[in-house]
């Protein structure tokens, strides 16, 4: 009995690249991407409905994602949310790792100079996320928890990120997060922030704290983060610097971090 003929070799001259299918992987990615847009989480049935798939198709994939730490199930509501493992993985694999590596020692020097804490905020979807902080080396201080999510439209760091990002990106975020009636006032504020190069406002949460924030730029000139000091006012005789002096140190540090990421001021590139 003759042996069957071997399959023909792949056609390497074909203009169309081969399309590979990995259904389970594609379902997992669809689930993660969907939940990344749903901060309140979704139940299994809601996930299935949003993805136009049956519950039986997705259930085992969701369970495995939960077991591997990519999703968290709220026992009270049975809603699934993405976990910080996504942030951790992205942090190791994206420019966030370089950003924090460069910024950490400079932020330590800033905290020592200003005797104030400082933190680094990046855009995370339609919110801001604190990815690095340095506490004040002094006897007292105020610091924001690492991993805290902030509302961009109502926060000092968020104002800086929104003011310096591209117009279409800013509009997309504001369209989803605030009332159009309040946009005019905020747009005027963004123009002022760009002109002076920083934002400084009283904290909406803590008395005696004024937030000061400056942009950090990447090599391509786009804003990648906001460096912020929640300036805590000192009322006793403890040695301290003024808010204006802290701003000078903050601006200098933000420039140093930006330059370490490959950014150069327009005046420097045109010289």
């Amino acid at each position: 009995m003759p042996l069957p003929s071997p399959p023909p070799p792949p056609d390497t001259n074909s203009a169309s690249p081969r399309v590979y299918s990995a259904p389970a992987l594609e379902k997992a990615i669809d689930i993660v991407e969907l939940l990344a847009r749903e901060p309140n989480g979704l139940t299994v049935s809601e996930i299935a409905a949003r993805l136009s798939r049956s519950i039986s198709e997705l259930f085992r994939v969701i369970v495995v994602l939960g077991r591997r730490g990519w999703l968290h199930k709220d026992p009270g509501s049975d809603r699934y949310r993405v976990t910080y493992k996504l942030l951790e993985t992205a942090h190791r694999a994206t420019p966030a790792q370089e950003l924090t590596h460069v910024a950490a020692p400079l932020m330590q020097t800033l905290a020592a100079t200003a005797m104030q804490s400082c933190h680094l905020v990046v855009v995370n979807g339609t919110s801001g996320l604190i990815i690095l902080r340095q506490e004040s080396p002094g006897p007292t201080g105020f610091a924001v928890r690492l991993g805290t999510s902030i509302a961009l439209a109502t926060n000092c760091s968020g104002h800086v990120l929104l003011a310096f990002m591209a117009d279409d990106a800013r509009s997309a975020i504001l369209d989803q997060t605030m009332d159009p009636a309040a946009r005019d006032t905020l747009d005027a504020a963004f123009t002022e922030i760009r002109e002076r190069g920083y934002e400084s406002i009283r904290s909406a949460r803590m008395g005696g704290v004024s937030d000061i924030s400056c942009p950090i730029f990447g090599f391509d000139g786009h804003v990648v983060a906001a460096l912020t000091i929640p300036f805590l006012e000192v009322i006793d005789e403890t040695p301290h610097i003024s808010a204006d002096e802290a701003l000078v140190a903050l601006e200098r540090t933000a420039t140093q971090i930006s330059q370490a990421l490959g950014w150069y001021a327009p005046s420097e590139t045109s010289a």
Side-chain angles (χ1 to χ4, degrees):
M1 181 176 181
L3 295 175
S5 301
D11 181 6
T12 56
N13 296 320
S14 174
S16 301
R18 178 177 294 181
V19 177
Y20 295 96
S21 177
L25 177 59
E26 290 180 350
K27 291 173 189 176
I29 293 173
D30 287 343
I31 291 166
V32 170
E33 290 182 342
L34 171 64
L35 291 176
R37 301 189 298 270
E38 298 290 340
N40 295 323
L42 295 171
T43 64
V44 175
S45 60
E46 289 172 335
I47 294 172
R50 297 286 185 89
L51 297 179
S52 299
R53 294 181 180 271
S54 68
I55 293 176
S56 60
E57 279 186 278
L58 302 181
F59 182 75
R60 286 189 295 176
V61 177
I62 293 171
V63 170
V64 171
L65 286 170
R67 189 175 70 237
R68 296 293 296 269
W70 292 82
L71 302 181
H72 170 73
K73 180 181 179 182
D74 185 332
S77 65
D78 288 336
R79 290 178 175 271
Y80 283 88
R81 297 177 176 84
V82 291
T83 68
Y84 280 118
K85 186 165 185 177
L86 286 171
L87 173 63
E88 177 187 352
T89 303
H91 182 269
R92 291 198 304 264
T94 65
Q97 183 177 24
E98 180 185 7
L99 173 60
T100 56
H101 176 75
V102 167
L106 294 169
M107 289 173 61
Q108 186 175 14
T109 300
L110 172 62
T113 300
M115 296 299 287
Q116 302 278 345
S117 72
C118 56
H119 54 265
L120 201 62
V121 182
V122 298
V123 174
N124 180 38
T126 57
S127 302
L129 184 70
I130 297 175
I131 63 168
L132 186 66
R133 74 169 186 177
Q134 180 63 51
E135 295 189 8
S136 167
T140 59
F142 171 74
V144 184
R145 190 184 302 276
L146 189 67
T148 297
S149 181
I150 65 169
L152 294 175
T154 58
N155 183 278
C156 183
S157 303
H159 283 186
V160 166
L161 291 168
L162 289 168
F164 287 94
M165 71 173 56
D167 292 345
D168 55 346
R170 178 171 60 252
S171 295
I173 291 174
L174 294 179
D175 287 344
Q176 297 179 61
T177 58
M178 70 177 304
D179 188 333
R183 289 281 295 276
D184 290 342
T185 300
L186 205 52
D187 286 339
F190 293 152
T191 299
E192 295 177 2
I193 292 169
R194 287 191 293 271
E195 289 175 352
R196 63 175 175 260
Y198 69 91
E199 172 70 307
S200 178
I201 57 177
R202 301 287 294 184
S203 172
R205 179 174 297 178
M206 302 293 295
V209 175
S210 296
D211 294 327
I212 315 169
S213 186
C214 290
I216 292 174
F217 300 100
F219 71 94
D220 57 2
H222 295 147
V223 64
V224 296
L227 179 62
T228 303
I229 291 178
F231 189 86
L232 186 63
E233 298 177 8
V234 177
I235 60 174
D236 63 10
E237 298 302 318
T238 303
H240 64 280
I241 66 175
S242 67
D244 288 340
E245 291 170 320
L247 172 59
V248 172
L250 179 67
E251 290 178 315
R252 180 173 61 247
T253 303
T255 298
Q256 291 171 334
I257 296 173
S258 297
Q259 289 174 339
L261 294 174
W263 172 84
Y264 292 94
S267 58
E268 296 176 20
T269 57
S270 61

